[in-house]
Amino acid sequence: MQNTDENSTSAGASQAITEQQVLIAGGGHVGLSFALLLAHHGIASTVLEKNSYPDLSPDDDKGRSHYLDSRNTALSRRTVQIYQEIGLWNELQSHACRIDAVKISEQGSFGQAQLNKAEEQVESFGQVMENAWLGRKLLLAAKQAPLITLIDNANVIAVEQQSDSVTLSFSYYEGEEHEQQLQASVLVACDGRDSTVRQLLNIDTTTYHYQQTAIVGVVETDRPHEHVAIERFSPAGPLAVLPLTDPEGDGNDEYQQGHRRSVVWVCPTGEEDKYLEDDAHFLATLQQAFGQRAGTFVQAGRRGAYPLTRVLANKQVEGRCVIMGNAAHTLHPVAGQGFNLCMRDAHVLAQMMSRQVLKGEDIGDPSLLKRYEKARLSDQKRVIRFCDAVVHGFTHPNPAVKLARNVALIAFDKLPNIKPLVANYAMGLKS
């Protein structure tokens, strides 16, 4: 069991302004980001992660170890702003690649549309970053934060709530199995789609299986990406090719000649093996689907397959416990909205807890947590509806529906005042 509590971080406050504590179950990207947001507001937290954290040092080699073998995340402008707010973006941006334009089309159809940063007068529509780099920098920042305690190899086994606190029991292995309890004002569960905490609290979920599997990986093309993201819809499902950084150098350099691209390829569940095992078949399939929009696909890295399921917690607050991240809402990856929605949730809850501290009140007050849940429902429902509408709308085989969506794409591209609304929505600036 690792218990880390080192000194100073650019993301943390200089000293605690409250003795109240937050327990965070799940130390992935959302859990660590939430802990850093709390630290920024002077609120201490303990993060429990079931997996083992790697040993990291700020002096470690920062080079990429897998040129074509990485998963990636599209960060919206709002998510970038949140990381800027806590002083972490300067550490992240060297491995981030701007999205300056988004091209949208449907395979075998006439409709197409484009968003351009110059027309929308924005710095970018977001950034694409390798998950490994994001995770490394979040973990380093958390390890250096005096208000964050990290405990890895910890398996949550029980949750008990009292009138003024919550107690979490967990087990860990050091030669033999041990059990330990921690108590805090509030527990926030960021422990993923199959959340243990959610199950212990007897919170049911509403689950929908898309009967699709996402093939995720990195490819290389002969043509530079020029910071353009390509969204393409096929009968099998939505597809995306996103720009990535060069193996070395800043992904936001105007002169970068990046040829690496992140790919999300959606296929019917049961057909994924042929895209995982045969590079030539995978590249040929991409070429057929995208044509020459991205140039010629010349190399593919190792790929992963992820069955797509929408999992929604039927409630996100139970007493002094909050369900957050994929534990609260696991979404289809279309338009890259899932992680960014989680970051907006985390940001709002951290702000509400900070205001509670400044008033000298309880950060785990169930009425406060219920207000958080209510405050976030509108944004969450809008994103969920949007994702499902895109998935079902662009896979519906009816010729009339196909005609309507292509006309809609052209209308979106040509009619004034529509693009800014959609652009702001995609950038996470309307919540």
Side-chain angles (χ1 to χ4, degrees), residues 20-26 34-35 38 43-48 149 151 158-160 165-170 181-190 197 320-322 353 363:
Q20 299 182 75
Q21 298 273 332
V22 178
L23 292 175
I24 302 173
F34 182 57
L38 292 175
I43 301 172
S45 65
T46 297
V47 180
L48 296 101
T149 299
I151 303 176
V159 176
E160 296 181 9
S165 62
V166 58
T167 301
L168 182 146
S169 301
F170 66 98
Q181 288 186 335
L182 293 173
Q183 192 172 61
S185 301
V186 59
L187 168 63
V188 178
C190 303
V197 171
R320 290 178 171 271
C321 300
V322 178
M353 288 183 171
I363 61 174

Side-chain angles (χ1 to χ4, degrees), residues 190-211:
C190 303
D191 51 346
R193 184 187 69 178
D194 301 319
S195 170
T196 298
V197 171
R198 189 187 65 215
Q199 294 174 42
L200 290 169
L201 293 171
N202 295 314
I203 296 176
D204 292 331
T205 60
T206 301
T207 302
Y208 176 81
H209 298 279
Y210 290 98
Q211 306 302 322

Side-chain angles (χ1 to χ4, degrees), residues 242-398:
L242 307 177
L244 283 176
T245 54
D246 280 335
E248 305 294 339
D250 190 336
N252 295 298
D253 188 333
E254 292 288 347
Y255 302 101
Q256 179 185 236
Q257 294 295 307
H259 294 260
R260 298 171 70 237
R261 307 189 193 219
S262 170
V263 171
V264 179
W265 168 267
V266 176
C267 68
T269 296
E271 298 182 5
E272 57 269 18
D273 285 351
K274 60 185 178 182
Y275 299 114
L276 294 172
E277 298 169 359
D278 187 337
D279 286 2
H281 176 72
F282 182 61
L283 291 171
T285 305
L286 289 177
Q287 200 70 63
Q288 182 180 14
F290 284 92
Q292 285 295 314
R293 289 168 178 81
T296 300
F297 293 88
V298 296
Q299 190 175 356
R302 185 177 57 209
R303 299 171 289 286
Y306 305 91
L308 299 180
T309 305
R310 182 187 66 217
V311 180
L312 306 177
N314 291 347
K315 57 181 174 180
Q316 297 175 39
V317 169
E318 177 62 44
R320 290 178 171 271
C321 300
V322 178
I323 310 299
M324 184 182 284
N326 282 345
H329 38 68
T330 299
L331 308 181
H332 196 287
V334 65
Q337 293 292 315
F339 177 71
N340 297 298
L341 179 62
C342 296
M343 286 297 295
R344 297 199 293 275
D345 291 343
H347 186 257
V348 168
L349 183 56
Q351 285 189 319
M352 293 179 73
M353 288 183 171
S354 174
R355 289 193 291 267
Q356 198 82 338
V357 167
L358 294 174
K359 293 187 294 184
E361 297 180 1
D362 181 4
I363 61 174
D365 183 345
S367 63
L368 168 78
L369 304 182
K370 280 293 185 184
R371 290 199 300 274
Y372 155 78
E373 182 180 38
K374 183 178 180 180
R376 293 301 303 143
L377 281 178
S378 176
D379 187 21
Q380 292 171 1
K381 288 180 177 179
R382 185 164 55 242
V383 170
I384 293 164
R385 285 196 301 266
F386 171 75
C387 290
D388 278 356
V390 171
V391 172
H392 295 301
F394 276 92
T395 55
H396 200 294
N398 187 294

Side-chain angles (χ1 to χ4, degrees), residues 84-113:
Q84 288 172 334
E85 183 180 305
I86 62 175
L88 193 58
W89 184 246
N90 286 343
E91 291 291 322
L92 293 173
Q93 65 179 347
S94 67
H95 287 233
C97 190
R98 290 188 332 271
I99 298 175
D100 289 348
V102 182
K103 295 182 178 180
I104 309 164
S105 60
E106 180 176 5
Q107 186 178 359
S109 299
F110 59 87
Q112 56 184 338

